[in-house]
Amino acid sequence: LLFTQEECDGSRYQEEIFSNVNVTSGIYYGTNMNQGIFGNEVEQDLYLDVYEPAGDSVEDRPLIILLFGGSFIGGSRTSSNMVSLCTAYAKMGYVAAAIDYRLTTELIFLANETTAYIAATKAIHDLKGAIRFFRMNDELYNDYRIDESRIYAGGVSAGAITAVNAGYLNSVEEVPSFLMDEYDSLGGIEGDSGNEGYDSHFHGVINLCGAIGDYNWIVEGDIPIVSIHGDEDSIVPYGDGLITLFGLNMQVYGSFVINETMIALGNNSALYTFFGEDHISFSGSSEAMDITVDF
């Protein structure tokens, strides 16, 4: 009874029922510190692009926030898979957003576990800043007509790693001990990427070839996740394995372990395996899209 008739017609959010999408580009959502090209600290403004179904009259639409891949050193919110995913979701009636997050080029020449976790932490904080931005806007302006009780986050590769870890690393006790000296200065659990005072919680994860740093961070009652992964992924392991990053071999747990852990705890999780496929070889496929919207 909470949703309009348009939301209950059986095709919305499942099929591309809109022909056109309106894209609003370069929306400022926050600022945080990052390392400049000369090693100095600089302020970095953060932007996002919003994709909405053209001609839609429904209020309170679910929001999907997506993050690009690129090993935390490259990539863009305007990359081809971000554009194609956001466009497809918007044609189904969702509001979709592709966001910036701070990159960590130090990984290229300072590849160690601490730098890798700092890179992921910065991205997590930027994602949380973007979620807070949408809640702030919903309360004050309602520009995007989102339902803040239906906010989902996901991404591809490094973007998926960000969303997964943002979803399940949610207490200081879970932070790796080697990162604790840096953690307060980075911004703690919530970060300092803008829109303070608003909730950064979200309600589900879209994991396209991502991984988690420690499967013990997943606990009973955690938010749902849908994972898509190739079982021959040579970059982000499908199961229990090492992620190789600029010469660093770091233990992580891929989609298979995430799904097994979630199911064992009675949580809501689904895994679709592309057998014989490597890293994000399925990105942008209609089959991958169908899996996520079905979930």
Side-chain angles (χ1 to χ4, degrees):
L1 295 177
L2 295 175
F3 304 121
T4 63
Q5 182 62 39
E6 291 97 324
E7 287 203 293
C8 300
D9 63 5
S11 57
R12 189 180 181 91
Y13 309 134
Q14 294 286 315
E15 301 172 9
E16 293 189 358
I17 60 173
F18 294 90
S19 300
N20 298 306
V21 170
N22 293 331
V23 182
T24 309
S25 301
I27 301 166
Y28 169 79
Y29 77 84
T31 299
N32 210 330
M33 302 304 295
N34 204 7
Q35 191 165 21
I37 58 174
F38 300 110
N40 55 315
E41 287 279 297
V42 297
E43 282 193 344
Q44 180 177 335
D45 291 338
L46 301 164
Y47 298 90
L48 56 81
D49 299 337
V50 173
Y51 296 68
E52 300 175 81
D56 188 20
S57 61
V58 170
E59 295 283 341
D60 296 328
R61 301 168 295 184
L63 168 68
I64 298 174
I65 299 176
L66 293 174
L67 296 90
F68 57 85
S71 301
F72 296 104
I73 66 160
S76 167
R77 71 178 191 271
T78 60
S79 64
S80 60
N81 51 22
M82 290 295 97
V83 172
S84 62
L85 286 167
C86 287
T87 300
Y89 283 126
K91 285 184 175 181
M92 295 178 186
Y94 297 92
V95 178
I99 72 168
D100 284 342
Y101 59 89
R102 288 167 292 159
L103 301 177
T104 305
T105 54
E106 308 96 276
L107 270 172
I108 299 171
F109 53 85
L110 191 63
N112 58 51
E113 200 166 24
T114 298
T115 307
Y117 268 92
I118 288 172
T121 299
K122 291 192 300 185
I124 288 168
H125 287 168
D126 296 345
L127 168 60
K128 290 184 175 184
I131 294 170
R132 292 193 296 266
F133 165 81
F134 278 105
R135 283 205 166 94
M136 175 275 295
N137 185 279
D138 187 57
E139 178 180 318
L140 300 180
Y141 310 109
N142 194 30
D143 289 332
Y144 311 110
R145 307 198 330 262
I146 67 157
D147 179 356
E148 63 175 81
S149 69
R150 291 186 287 172
I151 297 176
Y152 308 96
V156 175
S157 191
I161 290 171
T162 300
V164 168
N165 288 278
Y168 303 123
L169 197 169
N170 43 33
S171 72
V172 174
E173 291 75 19
E174 295 171 334
V175 175
S177 58
F178 59 81
L179 193 61
M180 287 307 297
D181 290 344
E182 309 262 8
Y183 208 63
D184 285 343
S185 64
L186 288 170
I189 288 291
E190 285 297 308
D192 302 312
S193 296
N195 313 296
E196 184 179 355
Y198 290 90
D199 185 8
S200 66
H201 174 71
F202 56 104
H203 304 93
V205 181
I206 299 170
N207 167 30
L208 306 179
C209 291
I212 193 167
D214 187 342
Y215 64 87
N216 291 302
W217 297 339
I218 301 172
V219 298
E220 186 177 353
D222 263 334
I223 60 174
I225 184 169
V226 55
S227 302
I228 306 177
H229 215 130
D231 69 338
E232 297 294 333
D233 196 320
S234 59
I235 297 176
V236 179
Y238 170 72
D240 175 345
L242 299 175
I243 188 169
T244 300
L245 198 63
F246 311 110
L248 167 68
N249 294 316
M250 188 172 68
Q251 176 68 54
V252 296
Y253 302 89
S255 299
F256 179 79
V257 177
I258 292 168
N259 184 65
E260 290 290 296
T261 304
M262 288 284 287
I263 296 299
L265 290 166
N267 296 339
N268 191 358
S269 178
L271 168 65
Y272 190 90
T273 303
F274 277 80
F275 291 100
E277 295 291 336
D278 202 345
H279 192 58
I280 62 170
S281 57
F282 56 81
S283 179
S285 75
S286 59
E287 188 174 6
M289 179 61 66
D290 288 347
I291 293 161
T292 63
V293 297
D294 285 347
F295 186 78

